[in-house]
Amino acid sequence: MGSEPGDGSIFADLLPKEIAAEKAVLGAMMLSKDAIAEIADIVKEDNFREPRHRLVYRAALSLFGHDERVDPVQVAAALHGLGELDECGGAPYLVSLIDAVPVGASPISLARAVADSSLRARLLDVGHKIIKIAAADDVTDARTAVELAQAAMHELAEHGDGDPFTYPELLQPLLDDIESTGKPEPATRGHMSTGIDDLDRLTGGLWPGTLNVIGGRPSIGKTTLALTIARHVAARLNRTTLYFTRETSKNEIARRIAAAEARVPLHILRSGQLSDDDWTKLAHSLSDTSEIPLYIDDRARTIGEIRAKTRRMHARLGLELIIVDYLQLFANGYHERYRELSDITRDLKDLARELAIPILAISQLNRGPEQRTDHRPQLADLRDSGTVEDDADLVILVYREDHYDRESPRAGEADLIVAKHRHGPTDVVTVAAQLHLSRFVDIVFPSA
Ligand SMILES: Nc1ncnc2c1ncn2[C@@H]1O[C@H](COP(=O)(O)OP(=O)(O)OP(=O)(O)O)[C@@H](O)[C@H]1O
């Protein structure tokens, strides 16, 4: 028993509950073939920290792969054939694994518990490694030590499941190393405008080190507002922006940006039925925007991945704005939701401070607006989203009257309700909602 020798860890001793979780996963695999596929998606062999559990897992998976029965008898026979049965505690131990499955437990939650504890053990190992790097002051200078520590953390975030690296995956860190070596720290260029004049007059734009939140009910236009700001910052201000999207694919985001920049309606881009004029507009805008520093990522799945990618790209490119679309999608469901969302917003706030850049995060609201007669969102509608209401420096709530009433005399308008502004006044800014072009624009009143 104890930690696997290969871990080389002084910290990662297995706790009784972690042993129980590993046993339960293996037991669940021997109870149901359906469970095996679900578990294998989440848990890899090296997630098991008890060595004999790795052997049982490998044998069970091999039987499953050959479409054979997976039960204690078959697994015992397979292990016996490999000369590993005694090392695994014999047939009685395999039978005891079945008894270790808690009544009513889902295989997925059991698998997640094992993957989670494996990741924690790796985190402890990395922590230990970082302490050793930090202490070796006769070997490395402080700056190199920080880079080594960051590399250790990146490896953990990107390969928590222990998969081998592909060559293309290794190219990126290599490029980062080559490009960041000897490059001065990017200078912070202060606050930036959002491109919505009235909003900029009220807030001064987005400030370094702040967490800014766009809140709204589904389909109200949160992504449209975030993309309006992203386009302005990247295309008009030429400042490097990284947009994390999870629900909407990067291709769809690109389509929405193209619609807004070329002023060709989204449904026309989707249908492919472009007129000659549309093609001309699209071609011009593609050439105008071919080098804008806007990066779109639809692969990050957790806040840890967002942090790792952001740090890596910041070292390489000097990021100036991060956008996260949207907070709730980056909760992994391992813990109570309120706590996870609180952790995510705190992490984003810390990241904004650490990198001295603004972060703009989209958040869903609870059903509060639907329960009020005027449907206007309020700060308190963020209440279910962890501590975002407290952590945010600026909260902009999006509201469109025509979303609730198609006959509204305010059709085509959106209110951007600045419901929280830590360093200034709150107010409402009204803009034109051109959703078919995926953009919000200032309302220009004809001069008298
Ligand atoms: N071609 C179009 N013409 C008119 N309106 C459109 C078009 N395409 C999308 N819309 C509208 O734009 C709105 C979607 O905006 P957006 O995706 O920014 O909302 P959201 O608040 O981010 O939504 P979600 O919570 O679903 O992510 C919807 O109301 C949708 O009906």
Side-chain angles (χ1 to χ4, degrees), residues 89 121 127 202 230 237 267-268 297 316 421:
L202 183 69
L237 306 180
H267 60 272
I268 292 188
D297 179 283
R316 188 155 66 95
H421 184 194

Side-chain angles (χ1 to χ4, degrees), residues 217-224 247 256 267 400 435-436:
R217 291 293 296 153
S219 296
I220 204 78
K222 302 181 295 297
T223 299
T224 304
E247 192 179 48
R256 291 176 67 158
H267 60 272
R400 289 187 293 115
L435 297 174
H436 60 297

